[in-house]
Amino acid sequence: MQSPLFAYTEQQTQDRYAVQNPQLLRVALTGQDDVLARKGAMVAYQGLIDFDGEYESHSGRLTRAHTGEGLELMRCSGQGTVYLANLAQYIHVVDVEQDGMTVDSAYVLALDSTLHTEVVAVDSQYGISGSGKYQLVISGRGRVALMTSGRPLMMRVTPDRYISADADAVVAWSSALRVQMQAQTHSSGVRRRRGNTGEGWELSFLGEGFALVQPSEVMPPQNAATGQGLGAQYGIGGNGAHGQNPTNDWGR
C-alpha cells in the first residue's frame, strides 16, 4: 500500500505536549501526571490509557450554569499516548507561568491536572459595569492547549503600548494585564451599535503581557447552534462577550 498519507505518521518527540499537526495534539502520559481534556476530544490513543469524567463540584456546576463559563473535562491517565482534537480547530500549546492566564473556556482543549482554574466576572474584577462577561483564570505552573478558529495573532502589551481588540475575537490574555471593556460608539447613545461598522464591544489591554486574538469573530464551532439563523452563529446572543449587544446590557 502506498499513499501520500504516510507522510502524516506519528511525531517522534520526548515532549509531553506536541502538536502532531496544526489541528491535532499529541500528549504523552507516563503514569505520573494526568492530563485534563475537553470531554469527547480524544480521537485516538495507544497504550494503557484510562478516561474518566472529571468531578465537578456543586458550586462549579452552579457557576457554569449561571455564567456559561467553566470546563467540562475528562481525566486521561495511565501510560501511553493520546491524541486530542476538536472540530479541526487550530491548536497552540502555552506554558502558564506565575502570573497566570485568563481565557475563554470555549477555547481550552487540554491542561495539566496540576493547574488551578477559577471563573471570574470581568466587570467585578476590573470595575467594568454592566458588561456581563465572565472568563476562566488558569493559575499555577503547567501547560495548556488552546484552540483558535484559524491562525491567531499574539499581541505584546507594554506600559507604553496598549492594544484593543474585538471582544468576540479575544481568546486569552495575561492575567496581570488591566482590562477595559467598552461599547464603541460615535454617539452618546450606547444603545445602538457604532454607525454602520458593525463593531460592538471591545477589550483594551494595559500593562505588561500578551493578548491572543483569533482571526474570527464567530462563536467557536462547538457553541454554534444550528437552525436558529445567523444570530446563533455570529455571536448575537449567548455567553460572555459573544453576542453582548449594548442594547441588552445598558438597558438593565
Side-chain angles (χ1 to χ4, degrees), residues 3-112:
S3 170
L5 289 172
F6 287 102
Y8 303 116
T9 54
E10 302 170 43
Q11 291 277 5
Q12 300 301 316
T13 175
Q14 298 299 316
D15 293 338
R16 175 172 166 82
Y17 288 77
V19 178
Q20 170 73 27
N21 65 52
Q23 295 153 306
L24 185 63
L25 178 70
R26 176 188 186 273
V27 182
L29 297 175
T30 62
Q32 296 179 345
D33 295 325
D34 300 341
V35 65
L36 301 178
R38 177 177 292 273
K39 283 186 178 180
M42 183 274 291
V43 296
Y45 72 94
Q46 59 183 9
L48 300 175
I49 308 293
D50 290 325
F51 301 93
D52 195 8
E54 178 68 0
Y55 171 76
E56 185 177 21
S57 67
H58 179 65
S59 62
R61 291 194 299 271
L62 289 177
T63 298
R64 184 156 53 84
H66 175 67
T67 66
E69 196 72 23
L71 289 171
E72 288 193 83
L73 298 169
M74 62 179 178
R75 181 175 289 267
C76 311
S77 58
Q79 290 184 301
T81 305
V82 60
Y83 293 89
L84 304 171
N86 185 70
L87 298 170
Q89 289 182 281
Y90 283 78
I91 297 170
H92 318 275
V93 178
V94 180
D95 287 306
V96 178
E97 302 294 344
Q98 261 186 327
D99 58 347
M101 177 175 64
T102 303
V103 63
D104 187 323
S105 62
Y107 301 113
V108 176
L109 177 65
L111 69 158
D112 285 334

Side-chain angles (χ1 to χ4, degrees), residues 183-185 187-193 201 245-248 250-251:
Q184 279 291 349
T185 63
S187 66
S188 58
V190 294
R191 298 177 181 274
R192 57 194 175 101
R193 286 183 177 264
W201 290 108
N245 189 317
T247 301
N248 296 333
W250 291 88

